[in-house]
Amino acid sequence: MAYSDKVLDHYENPRNVGTLDKNDPNVGTGMVGAPACGDVMKLMIKVNDSGIIEDAKFKTYGCGSAIASSSLVTEWLKGRTIDEAYAIKNSEIAEELALPPVKIHCSVLAEDAIKAAVADIKAKQAAKETA
Amino acid sequence: MSLNYFELFGLEPIFNIELATLESNFRKIQSESHPDRFVTASATEKLTAMQQATLANEAYLCLKSPANRAKYLLELQGITAISETNTAMPMDFLMQQMEWREATEDAVSAKDIGALDNLLAEIRLEAKSLQESLVSLLDAQKDYITATDATRKLIFIDKVSEDINRAIEQIDI
C-alpha cells in the first residue's frame, strides 16, 4: 500500500516525539490502543492557566499512518484551547493525511487519544479545585 | 447452510479444543480436496474441491491461533470483539504495553538478544495466563463480556510478540 506524501513526511520526521512530566498538574495524558492492529498511542498535553495547550508530545507504537496521525495532531494541538482540541474529528485528520479507508482507524485512535488527554487534564483540574 | 469452522473439523465449539484433532482433521480435508485427486474431474468438481481447500485453510488458521479462536467463538455469539472505533483499554494494560514496547526499542538499539528473549518469556507467560482464563470464561462460565476483554488483550500481546520475534530475527542476521 502506498502512503501519501504527508504520511511519509510525518513518519520520517515525526514532530514532538517524547513525553512530558505526567505528575505535573498541568499535564494531561491520553493512552489508547487499537486491538484491530495492536497499536498503542500515548499523547500528553501541557495546558496553561487560560486553558490553552502550550505543548504536546506523543509516543506511538504502530504503523506509519498511526505515527503520522499522532504527529500531526501534536502540531494542531499547540495554541488551541482544550475545548477546541476536544472538537477535533478523526475525519479532519484522515483528510489532511489522505488516509485510505483501511487506515481510517489510525485517525480514530488519534482522536480518541486527544479526548482521553483532555478528559485527564479536566479530571486533574477538578481534583485541584476540590482539594 | 454452511458449516462453521468448528463443525468443519468435527470439533465442539469451545476454546479449549484438542489441537491434535484440529491438525489431523485439517490434513484429512486437505488431502481429500487436493487438486491431484481432481485431475480428471469436471470443472464444477474441481471448483468445489478448491473452495473446500480454501475454506479449510482459512478455518485452520483461525482456530489454530488462540486469539483468533476466541474472537471467532465470540463472533458465533454475535459479539464483535474487535471494532475499529473502540480504542478504550484498561489504563494499566496500556501502560504495560508501552513499557514492553519501550523495553523492546532499548534492547533493539543495544542489539541485546538476551533482553529480548527475557521480554518474550515474560509476554508468553502473560499470554498463557490469558488463555487459561479464556478457557474458564468461554467454556465454563460463558462470561462473554469478560472474555471479550481478555481476547482484546491477547490480540495486543500477539502483536507485541510478533514484533519482538521479528526484531530478534533481524539482529540475528
Side-chain angles (χ1 to χ4, degrees):
Chain A
M1 193 198 57
Y3 282 125
S4 71
D5 289 346
K6 276 182 183 160
V7 170
L8 282 177
D9 177 33
H10 278 280
Y11 178 65
E12 281 162 8
N13 312 292
R15 333 292 198 255
N16 309 306
V17 175
T19 52
L20 299 167
D21 176 11
K22 69 173 191 302
N23 297 317
D24 182 334
N26 292 322
V27 169
T29 306
M31 279 248 265
V32 288
C37 49
D39 290 359
V40 247
M41 187 179 285
K42 179 163 79 175
L43 177 70
M44 301 182 99
I45 52 173
K46 189 176 167 68
V47 179
N48 69 16
D49 292 335
S50 345
I52 309 271
I53 298 169
E54 284 183 329
D55 201 3
K57 297 267 186 217
F58 83 95
K59 221 166 185 187
T60 293
Y61 293 97
C63 66
S65 302
I67 291 167
S69 295
S70 31
S71 169
L72 173 72
V73 299
T74 56
E75 283 193 321
W76 280 0
L77 288 173
K78 289 186 199 179
R80 295 201 192 195
T81 66
I82 51 174
D83 291 327
E84 284 166 354
Y86 198 84
I88 293 175
K89 293 267 172 296
N90 83 285
S91 51
E92 300 167 51
I93 302 164
E95 193 182 333
E96 174 70 20
L97 295 172
L99 295 181
V102 293
K103 290 293 177 184
I104 297 297
H105 68 273
C106 300
S107 62
V108 173
L109 205 57
E111 178 191 325
D112 288 354
I114 300 174
K115 292 205 159 51
V118 170
D120 186 50
I121 193 76
K122 285 195 168 169
K124 271 188 177 177
Q125 286 169 344
K128 203 163 59 180
E129 275 161 27
T130 53
Chain B
M1 212 185 79
S2 62
L3 298 176
N4 74 35
Y5 291 170
F6 291 96
E7 290 164 343
L8 186 70
F9 297 119
L11 292 164
E12 225 189 306
I14 54 169
F15 182 71
N16 197 15
I17 54 169
E18 202 65 62
L19 285 172
T21 315
L22 171 68
E23 194 79 29
S24 65
N25 289 352
F26 170 58
R27 299 286 164 226
K28 208 171 130 225
I29 296 180
Q30 238 189 352
S31 79
E32 281 167 4
S33 54
H34 197 277
D36 286 355
R37 302 176 70 124
F38 293 86
V39 177
T40 58
S42 72
T44 322
E45 281 172 322
K46 275 184 187 153
L47 184 68
T48 313
M50 197 189 76
Q51 284 169 339
Q52 179 80 352
T54 312
L55 177 69
N57 256 321
E58 218 177 80
Y60 172 71
L61 288 177
C62 169
L63 296 189
K64 204 177 101 144
S65 138
N68 288 333
R69 192 189 320 134
K71 198 172 117 192
Y72 185 67
L73 275 167
L74 290 166
E75 264 167 41
L76 292 179
Q77 296 297 325
I79 299 166
T80 312
I82 304 306
S83 131
E84 291 194 341
T85 50
N86 183 352
T87 59
M89 292 293 294
M91 198 45 115
D92 55 344
F93 179 77
L94 288 175
M95 291 286 247
Q96 171 80 82
Q97 288 293 307
M98 272 287 170
E99 276 166 26
W100 281 340
R101 296 282 180 177
E102 283 164 1
T104 307
E105 216 171 44
D106 291 347
V108 168
S109 43
K111 294 194 185 301
D112 186 345
I113 292 189
L116 289 171
D117 281 337
N118 289 340
L119 210 54
L120 211 50
E122 187 189 332
I123 292 169
R124 286 213 178 106
L125 219 57
E126 181 69 29
K128 196 164 164 271
S129 103
L130 278 170
Q131 287 175 31
E132 279 162 7
S133 64
L134 277 169
V135 171
S136 94
L137 289 168
L138 287 167
D139 297 350
Q141 301 167 41
K142 314 226 177 284
D143 177 354
Y144 299 121
I145 305 294
T146 316
T148 302
D149 293 340
T151 304
R152 290 162 64 93
K153 286 183 179 174
L154 199 54
I155 291 170
F156 270 97
I157 287 180
D158 279 359
K159 170 80 167 121
V160 75
S161 328
E162 256 172 52
D163 290 351
I164 296 175
N165 272 318
R166 200 171 310 131
I168 292 175
E169 277 169 27
Q170 277 169 359
I171 294 174
D172 260 344
I173 291 167

